[in-house]
Amino acid sequence: DSGALQQVARILNGGLSPSDIAHLLESSPPRQRAVLWNLVDKDLEGDVLQYLNDDIRSYFLSKLNAQELAAVIEDFESDDLADLLQQLPDAVIQEVLDTMDAQDRERVEEVLSYPEDTAGGLMNTDTVTVRPDISIDVVQRYLRRHRSLPPMTDSLIVVNRKDEYVGVMSLTRMLVSSPSATVREIMDTDVEPIPVTMPDNRVATLFERYDLISAPVVGDNGKLLGRITIDDVVDVIREDADHSLMSLAGLDEDEDTFAPIFRTSRRRAVWLGVNVVTAFTSATVIGLFEGTIQKVVALAVLMPIVASMGGIAGSQTLTLVIRGMALGQISRDNLRWLLNREFLSTILNSLLFSVIVAGVAVAWFGQPTIGLVIGLALIINLSIASVVGTLLPLFLKKRNIDPALAGGVVLLTVTDVMGFLSFLGLATIFYG
Amino acid sequence: DSGALQQVARILNGGLSPSDIAHLLESSPPRQRAVLWNLVDKDLEGDVLQYLNDDIRSYFLSKLNAQELAAVIEDFESDDLADLLQQLPDAVIQEVLDTMDAQDRERVEEVLSYPEDTAGGLMNTDTVTVRPDISIDVVQRYLRRHRSLPPMTDSLIVVNRKDEYVGVMSLTRMLVSSPSATVREIMDTDVEPIPVTMPDNRVATLFERYDLISAPVVGDNGKLLGRITIDDVVDVIREDADHSLMSLAGLDEDEDTFAPIFRTSRRRAVWLGVNVVTAFTSATVIGLFEGTIQKVVALAVLMPIVASMGGIAGSQTLTLVIRGMALGQISRDNLRWLLNREFLSTILNSLLFSVIVAGVAVAWFGQPTIGLVIGLALIINLSIASVVGTLLPLFLKKRNIDPALAGGVVLLTVTDVMGFLSFLGLATIFYG
């Protein structure tokens, strides 16, 4: 009833921050989500959109016309605006740009000209700059002429007359310095500016490694273009980390937890389709040995053990390598060591488990031969799994294939195929 | 040779930041790591330790005696110190505390008294506080008496005479205000202080949601205890995100990528051991149907398909739910909707793929019965997978079992067992 709805609307628009509202929308099934969205105040819509996940945001954006869009995005910072515009069809982008004033349009077109996953796509153009030769006293009077400073301003950027980057002056440093000191005396010129073309995950590494709050971005010519702030970097870190997790299950990191039925099943069908092909590949391998299985049915009972142990061992290696690559730890210099370590530690474990598994198998079926076959097959499959788990992600990355997305499927296909092949192959020899 | 080593030492200690050195150590196999560590200057050791991952840090710490430890940790911030001390045996902690002066000891004992994964364990005690009734002018003169302000100081914390939290005054707000204004006039009292007992992942959510750089921490009595800064929160975000990824493969998020062979194989053996039990569980299920397989060997060829498709579908659901739980999106209110969505979208896909798989199976073996059996088994196994994938992580969490660690193993056991059981069980009925 509408009384209850009005009450919800009051709570939504009165007591909650835009990020809280975004979280509430993300946590709601589609129907409630649509109801809630209609209750959000028009002036809050833009703020809420900034915090929404890409998947949900593009849905709401698709419901707005160019006028409404232009109104909603009025107060967007340029990086958020560029993010948002990149989700829209080109025709709509042009319409939106047409409704903006010249200065804003220029600012947005600038940011739109950089790929989303680079420093350029992350940066804001709202820098506060000062010249090196003025005194702190003058800087303070200049700042007092502002009504406010941009969010996440922890330092002022020092530029020369040609607008080229010179250094940064942190606000805390400024506040403990004498008013008569000049910017030049207290600025920090050791801070390397970020090139506008740097990939966003490298930007994130820099922020994490040097505990930055904001960092200046420059073009090829050394001219200051904008700055990147930690809040946007945290999003990159979160998304990169989510990416590996979700991709290993064939999901997108922007996946809406409460996507409707048909969208969900359509997306998942692709992944199931890939896996049905790999499943039939394994089945084909087993099919080669129908005669052997017919003779010794115990083989059919035990064969999944070899395949699944290989999959487990390989997944551990694969996950460790994918994480190591994401952290920038793995290079040609240490790859050989890593491969040796994975191989040798897996060999140790495969010896241990081949004894255990063979023992159980012999006790179960009373045939020493089956123990020998499963023990050897385990050693072979786990060894292969460790090598493939280490090298596959690096191989895929070289070919510009996402290791997190393709790695798991390829690895499990290999461990299944090699598991059945080694076990049933050895059985055919020994029972032949 | 020692000439080359000296050169490396110069580069290490001259050109690289402590975080760069930590990254280099983390990216090195054990022997090089030990050599590099010996080249690090004594005064840099403490800084480098702060940036190292837990696993590697505790190894280096174990090599130091209490005197060396005390020297190394001299400049540590209290939260980092508490982190580090928590990795040491109690006897060593006491020795280290004994070497410190009374004030430092008190500060550290305070932080040590809070669990590592709460706001108390994350906080620093290096707050800069001001009273509400003084003017900005006075604040600025007070600040100028400092040699420096603590890192990540974006605001001053306003407290009353009893040291109770009143509000925060951001430096940027202060810098745009008139020097004659009082702190009370420009401070922000809307910022809720963080209770010292709040879990660290909720702290991270607050920082992400409100784009914070630092936040005050208070005790039960409202007294200011310290502040939390974004750099430590970024570590929490990174670790939480890594945790789900690594745990699904039975790895620890602090796992050293270049851990030595024996440590690696010992840790992995546990996971392989768990999985060997589940593999034998599946084998036992298959063993129940030896007679049926003997009659129709095609069943042995096709049975892994049903199990693996169930595993894939279930993993997708499981991963989505684990991520949704980590983001705080899933509650009792939307669980029923989520369960319905997962069930229905999986049913749609299982219908699609049962037709495809049944078609291929009939074409392959020329038996209509086998198509019927595998089609029905797929529908049964995928349906079960969707329900288990949705409810299992919530069930585990309620029992305080880590869903990311246990979820994958339990799910795959269920999908394997149910896959073999439904497929071979139906086959026994239809071929019986």
Side-chain angles (χ1 to χ4, degrees):
Chain A
D1 59 326
S2 76
L5 278 184
Q6 274 171 19
Q7 201 173 340
V8 172
R10 256 198 308 279
I11 295 172
L12 261 187
N13 300 303
L16 294 179
S17 73
S19 50
D20 289 328
I21 300 176
H23 180 70
L24 200 64
L25 289 167
E26 287 178 355
S27 308
S28 301
R31 204 173 309 169
Q32 284 92 308
R33 189 181 281 167
V35 173
L36 285 173
W37 177 246
N38 282 330
L39 296 176
V40 174
D41 271 356
K42 283 285 166 220
D43 3 328
L44 276 177
E45 281 183 355
D47 291 329
V48 173
L49 280 174
Q50 294 191 49
Y51 287 97
L52 279 177
N53 121 358
D54 285 2
D55 225 24
I56 303 174
R57 181 161 62 186
S58 45
Y59 173 76
F60 286 136
L61 286 177
S62 70
K63 305 262 157 194
L64 301 174
N65 63 35
Q67 255 74 40
E68 289 172 315
L69 259 178
V72 155
I73 62 188
E74 224 167 39
D75 310 319
F76 270 41
E77 293 182 0
S78 39
D79 62 331
D80 294 323
L81 191 47
D83 262 15
L84 181 149
L85 289 177
Q86 266 150 354
Q87 293 189 296
L88 297 173
D90 283 347
V92 180
I93 296 182
Q94 204 43 59
E95 274 188 78
V96 173
L97 287 175
D98 287 346
T99 64
M100 302 173 87
D101 65 36
Q103 197 196 336
D104 278 353
R105 187 162 57 230
E106 203 178 306
R107 207 169 54 108
V108 171
E109 278 170 346
E110 165 95 38
V111 179
L112 268 180
S113 68
Y114 303 109
E116 202 188 350
D117 56 353
T118 62
L122 275 182
M123 76 178 178
N124 268 312
T125 49
D126 58 356
T127 53
V128 182
T129 57
V130 290
R131 295 281 161 76
D133 43 6
I134 59 174
S135 71
I136 301 310
D137 204 32
V138 174
V139 172
Q140 290 225 21
R141 265 183 284 145
Y142 165 69
L143 291 178
R144 257 181 248 124
R145 290 215 304 269
H146 290 70
R147 278 203 42 206
S148 68
L149 297 181
M152 307 264 154
T153 298
D154 65 321
S155 55
L156 306 180
I157 303 177
V158 187
V159 293
N160 63 19
R161 237 178 291 179
K162 282 184 274 177
D163 228 20
E164 287 161 355
Y165 171 79
V166 176
V168 295
M169 178 177 66
S170 79
L171 297 185
T172 54
R173 183 79 201 277
M174 180 177 89
L175 286 167
V176 298
S177 302
S178 147
S180 60
T182 63
V183 169
R184 190 187 308 282
E185 285 164 23
I186 64 169
M187 72 182 177
D188 187 348
T189 53
D190 284 349
V191 177
E192 291 276 342
I194 293 178
V196 70
T197 52
M198 183 183 274
D200 61 359
N201 53 358
R202 286 208 43 215
V203 173
T205 307
L206 285 181
F207 268 73
E208 276 194 89
R209 211 173 285 170
Y210 301 111
D211 292 340
L212 303 175
I213 293 173
S214 71
V217 179
V218 297
D220 290 338
N221 47 15
K223 274 213 170 58
L224 180 71
L225 293 176
R227 64 182 189 120
I228 294 177
T229 52
I230 181 77
D231 52 331
D232 296 317
V233 172
V234 167
D235 292 342
V236 171
I237 292 172
R238 164 78 76 192
E239 271 171 31
D240 275 3
D242 271 358
H243 175 78
S244 304
L245 173 70
M246 299 290 273
S247 294
L248 278 174
L251 298 166
D252 192 283
E253 71 265 23
D254 289 320
E255 185 90 21
D256 170 8
T257 307
F258 297 93
I261 295 176
F262 290 105
R263 183 138 36 107
T264 303
S265 61
R266 204 168 347 108
R267 286 186 180 174
R268 305 239 181 123
V270 177
W271 195 242
L272 287 167
V274 171
N275 280 281
V276 91
V277 174
T278 78
F280 269 110
T281 311
S282 309
T284 309
V285 173
I286 302 171
L288 300 174
F289 302 97
E290 272 188 66
T292 311
I293 295 172
Q294 183 90 60
K295 263 202 296 193
V296 190
V297 176
L299 296 175
V301 176
L302 295 176
M303 67 184 187
I305 295 175
V306 182
S308 87
M309 292 292 283
I312 294 294
S315 298
Q316 290 204 300
T317 303
L318 182 81
T319 304
L320 191 81
V321 172
I322 286 177
R323 209 253 331 220
M325 286 167 61
L327 296 178
Q329 291 174 341
I330 295 172
S331 63
R332 210 178 301 172
D333 301 331
N334 52 30
L335 180 61
R336 180 179 291 272
W337 188 92
L338 194 66
L339 186 61
N340 276 333
R341 199 273 316 272
E342 285 302 319
F343 187 72
L344 291 175
S345 62
T346 306
I347 286 283
L348 282 180
N349 277 333
S350 72
L351 290 173
L352 171 68
F353 284 99
S354 66
V355 171
I356 296 173
V357 171
V360 176
V362 172
W364 188 350
F365 293 100
Q367 304 171 12
T369 315
I370 213 161
L372 185 67
V373 168
I374 201 167
L376 286 176
L378 262 183
I379 295 173
I380 293 172
N381 200 28
L382 265 68
S383 314
I384 293 172
S386 72
V387 174
V388 174
T390 312
L391 297 182
L392 178 67
L394 295 147
F395 172 87
L396 291 171
K397 204 185 169 191
K398 251 200 182 153
R399 262 147 204 76
N400 282 318
I401 303 169
D402 178 9
L405 187 63
V409 191
V410 176
L411 175 83
L412 288 183
T413 307
V414 172
T415 51
D416 277 359
V417 166
M418 294 313 299
F420 296 131
L421 194 62
S422 57
F423 181 63
L424 297 173
L426 285 171
T428 307
I429 296 169
F430 281 93
Y431 284 101
Chain B
D1 59 328
S2 76
L5 278 185
Q6 274 172 21
Q7 203 173 341
V8 172
R10 257 198 307 279
I11 295 173
L12 262 187
N13 300 302
L16 294 179
S17 73
S19 51
D20 289 328
I21 300 176
H23 180 68
L24 201 62
L25 289 167
E26 286 178 355
S27 307
S28 301
R31 204 172 311 169
Q32 283 93 308
R33 189 180 282 167
V35 173
L36 285 173
W37 177 246
N38 282 328
L39 296 176
V40 174
D41 271 356
K42 284 283 166 222
D43 1 330
L44 275 178
E45 280 183 356
D47 291 330
V48 174
L49 279 174
Q50 293 192 49
Y51 286 98
L52 279 177
N53 119 0
D54 286 2
D55 226 22
I56 304 174
R57 182 162 60 185
S58 45
Y59 173 75
F60 286 137
L61 286 178
S62 70
K63 305 263 156 195
L64 301 176
N65 63 36
Q67 256 74 40
E68 288 172 316
L69 259 178
V72 154
I73 62 188
E74 223 168 39
D75 311 320
F76 270 42
E77 293 182 0
S78 40
D79 62 332
D80 294 323
L81 192 47
D83 263 14
L84 181 148
L85 289 178
Q86 267 150 354
Q87 291 189 297
L88 298 173
D90 283 347
V92 181
I93 296 181
Q94 204 44 58
E95 273 188 77
V96 173
L97 286 175
D98 288 345
T99 65
M100 303 174 86
D101 65 36
Q103 197 195 335
D104 279 354
R105 189 162 55 230
E106 202 178 307
R107 207 169 54 109
V108 171
E109 278 170 345
E110 165 96 40
V111 179
L112 269 179
S113 68
Y114 305 108
E116 202 188 353
D117 56 353
T118 63
L122 276 182
M123 76 179 177
N124 267 312
T125 49
D126 58 356
T127 51
V128 182
T129 57
V130 290
R131 293 283 161 75
D133 42 7
I134 59 175
S135 70
I136 300 311
D137 206 27
V138 174
V139 172
Q140 290 224 21
R141 265 182 286 147
Y142 165 68
L143 291 179
R144 257 181 248 125
R145 289 215 304 269
H146 290 70
R147 278 202 41 204
S148 69
L149 297 181
M152 307 262 155
T153 298
D154 66 320
S155 55
L156 306 180
I157 304 178
V158 188
V159 294
N160 64 19
R161 238 178 292 178
K162 283 184 276 179
D163 227 23
E164 288 162 355
Y165 171 79
V166 176
V168 295
M169 177 177 67
S170 79
L171 298 185
T172 53
R173 184 78 199 279
M174 180 178 88
L175 286 167
V176 299
S177 300
S178 148
S180 61
T182 63
V183 170
R184 190 188 307 283
E185 285 164 27
I186 64 169
M187 72 182 180
D188 187 347
T189 53
D190 284 348
V191 176
E192 291 276 343
I194 292 178
V196 70
T197 52
M198 183 184 274
D200 62 359
N201 54 357
R202 284 208 45 216
V203 173
T205 308
L206 285 180
F207 269 74
E208 276 194 271
R209 210 172 286 170
Y210 300 111
D211 291 340
L212 303 175
I213 292 172
S214 72
V217 178
V218 296
D220 290 340
N221 47 15
K223 276 215 170 52
L224 180 70
L225 295 175
R227 65 182 188 120
I228 295 175
T229 52
I230 180 79
D231 52 331
D232 297 316
V233 172
V234 167
D235 292 342
V236 172
I237 293 172
R238 163 78 74 191
E239 271 171 30
D240 276 2
D242 270 359
H243 176 79
S244 304
L245 173 69
M246 298 290 273
S247 294
L248 278 175
L251 299 166
D252 192 281
E253 71 266 25
D254 288 321
E255 184 90 19
D256 170 9
T257 307
F258 297 93
I261 295 176
F262 291 104
R263 184 142 30 112
T264 304
S265 60
R266 205 169 345 111
R267 286 186 181 174
R268 304 237 182 124
V270 177
W271 197 242
L272 287 168
V274 171
N275 280 280
V276 92
V277 173
T278 76
F280 270 109
T281 311
S282 308
T284 309
V285 173
I286 301 171
L288 300 174
F289 301 98
E290 272 188 65
T292 311
I293 295 172
Q294 184 90 59
K295 264 202 295 195
V296 191
V297 176
L299 295 175
V301 176
L302 295 176
M303 67 185 187
I305 295 175
V306 182
S308 87
M309 293 292 283
I312 294 294
S315 297
Q316 291 204 301
T317 304
L318 182 79
T319 305
L320 191 82
V321 173
I322 286 177
R323 210 254 329 222
M325 284 166 61
L327 296 178
Q329 291 174 340
I330 295 172
S331 63
R332 209 178 301 173
D333 300 332
N334 51 31
L335 180 61
R336 179 179 292 272
W337 188 91
L338 194 66
L339 186 61
N340 276 333
R341 200 274 315 273
E342 285 301 318
F343 186 74
L344 292 175
S345 63
T346 306
I347 285 282
L348 282 179
N349 277 333
S350 72
L351 290 173
L352 171 67
F353 284 99
S354 68
V355 170
I356 295 173
V357 171
V360 176
V362 171
W364 187 350
F365 294 99
Q367 306 171 13
T369 314
I370 214 161
L372 185 65
V373 169
I374 202 168
L376 286 177
L378 263 183
I379 295 173
I380 293 172
N381 201 29
L382 266 68
S383 314
I384 293 172
S386 71
V387 174
V388 174
T390 312
L391 298 182
L392 178 65
L394 295 148
F395 172 86
L396 290 173
K397 204 185 168 191
K398 250 198 183 156
R399 263 148 202 75
N400 282 319
I401 304 169
D402 178 11
L405 187 64
V409 191
V410 177
L411 175 83
L412 288 184
T413 308
V414 172
T415 52
D416 276 0
V417 166
M418 295 313 300
F420 295 130
L421 194 63
S422 59
F423 181 61
L424 298 173
L426 285 171
T428 307
I429 297 168
F430 282 94
Y431 283 101

